[in-house]
Amino acid sequence: MSRLSFLLTLISLSVSALYASAAPGKPASSKLYEIRIYYPTPGKYAEIVDRFRQYTTRIFAKHGMENIGYWTPTDTSRKELIYILAYPDREAREASWQAFRNDPEWKAVVAKTEANGKLVDHVDQIFMTESRLSPTIKTGVKNPERIFEMRTYTSPPGKLPNLLTRFRDHTIKLFSKHGMTHIGYWITTEVDGKQPKLIYILAHPSEAEGRQHFKEFAADPDWVKAREASEANGKITEKVESVYMKPTDYSPIR
């Protein structure tokens, strides 16, 4: 195990222990989750999405990686492929990726698909542990197709436990009340002493309905009361990021 991997493992365990008390309920999961965001080289967006369809997801599974979901932003100006993998733990993650990169089949796929140039410009990675707030994360296809929303919450230093408590006691129930479907809730594993973040994914019948549901949620007197009480000593969120996403036709969650 590399020094970085060892440090990330320690951080992951520390984060899980620190925030478990804010959200008691189901047992804490030992799984490691990874969000990977691929930014293709110009003109290669369709090709990278298709390479996952034809080859990559199958070879991931071959090497013990769990395919959770694959999405593209509904904002078509954002040329990104967003996906989530799961592993038993950090050590399993490192072993799986090593085997994947060295797989002759994968090397042949790269040679074939990149004969006219590289497909990927760069990749963002976010490592996470499953919050005890989260429902059991299940793959599956719903009909009609849904739109998904990934939301990332950054809290002021020391305030993430307060945010998790508010989600536990109020927010999750109110989301359900307003027609939102819970997919998963995670806590990021950060390095260099950075504040962990809350990331979660909701499903909506459509983007328009998702936005309308949030308007209704924001105006709900129960939410207003809970927000004001939880922020009596100051804000517990300083930044909220949202991206609406359409599942690919090969996403295990659709």
Side-chain angles (χ1 to χ4, degrees):
M1 181 185 292
S2 69
R3 181 172 180 273
L4 177 59
S5 295
F6 177 71
L7 288 173
L8 288 172
T9 299
L10 288 180
I11 292 168
S12 176
L13 292 171
S14 299
V15 168
S16 297
L18 179 61
Y19 297 115
S21 61
K26 70 176 186 178
S29 171
S30 62
K31 274 188 177 181
L32 176 72
Y33 290 82
E34 181 180 7
I35 296 176
R36 294 176 65 86
I37 305 174
Y38 279 39
Y39 301 86
T41 52
K44 300 292 188 179
Y45 186 45
E47 291 177 56
I48 189 63
V49 172
D50 187 59
R51 185 165 75 181
F52 274 84
R53 176 185 294 110
Q54 292 196 58
Y55 309 106
T56 314
T57 57
R58 177 179 54 79
I59 301 176
F60 279 168
K62 172 183 173 183
H63 292 290
M65 306 183 204
E66 183 181 354
N67 294 293
I68 300 296
Y70 289 79
W71 300 272
T72 57
T74 58
D75 177 355
T76 56
S77 69
R78 295 179 60 162
K79 303 302 183 185
E80 303 165 20
L81 175 65
I82 303 165
Y83 67 96
I84 300 178
L85 297 174
Y87 320 91
D89 52 33
R90 170 70 62 170
E91 193 172 82
R93 188 261 177 202
E94 300 303 324
S96 290
W97 274 97
Q98 176 95 13
F100 171 79
R101 294 188 188 100
N102 292 331
D103 189 323
E105 181 185 9
W106 173 243
K107 291 181 178 180
V109 167
V110 172
K112 175 182 176 181
T113 57
E114 298 190 355
N116 296 315
K118 290 183 68 65
L119 302 189
V120 181
D121 181 80
H122 64 284
V123 179
D124 287 343
Q125 298 168 269
I126 303 168
F127 292 102
M128 314 179 296
T129 56
E130 188 178 336
S131 168
R132 289 172 67 177
L133 293 169
S134 185
T136 300
I137 296 167
K138 298 178 180 178
T139 57
V141 177
K142 299 291 185 181
N143 191 21
E145 183 177 276
R146 302 172 290 176
I147 289 296
F148 295 79
E149 181 184 9
M150 183 167 68
R151 296 175 66 87
T152 303
Y153 283 49
T154 303
S155 293
K159 294 292 187 178
L160 183 56
N162 303 73
L163 178 63
L164 295 176
T165 296
R166 187 169 74 185
F167 266 80
R168 180 195 67 194
D169 294 344
H170 305 286
T171 311
I172 285 179
K173 288 178 284 189
L174 290 169
F175 280 173
S176 296
K177 174 183 174 181
H178 290 285
M180 307 181 205
T181 300
H182 308 280
I183 301 299
Y185 288 76
W186 298 270
I187 306 298
T188 63
T189 299
E190 304 287 349
V191 295
D192 301 327
K194 292 182 180 178
Q195 169 86 355
K197 300 175 183 178
L198 170 66
I199 295 180
Y200 63 95
I201 295 179
L202 301 172
H204 309 286
S206 67
E207 182 173 348
E209 288 174 88
R211 294 186 184 279
Q212 181 60 34
H213 290 160
F214 261 102
K215 286 182 181 179
E216 294 166 357
F217 163 81
D220 189 317
D222 289 337
W223 164 244
V224 174
K225 180 180 177 181
R227 184 192 65 215
E228 290 177 350
S230 66
E231 297 184 349
N233 296 315
K235 292 280 188 181
I236 60 177
T237 58
E238 61 183 20
K239 185 178 181 182
V240 177
E241 300 164 87
S242 168
V243 55
Y244 281 89
M245 312 179 298
K246 179 177 180 177
T248 66
D249 59 316
Y250 51 84
S251 178
I253 295 179
R254 297 207 295 277

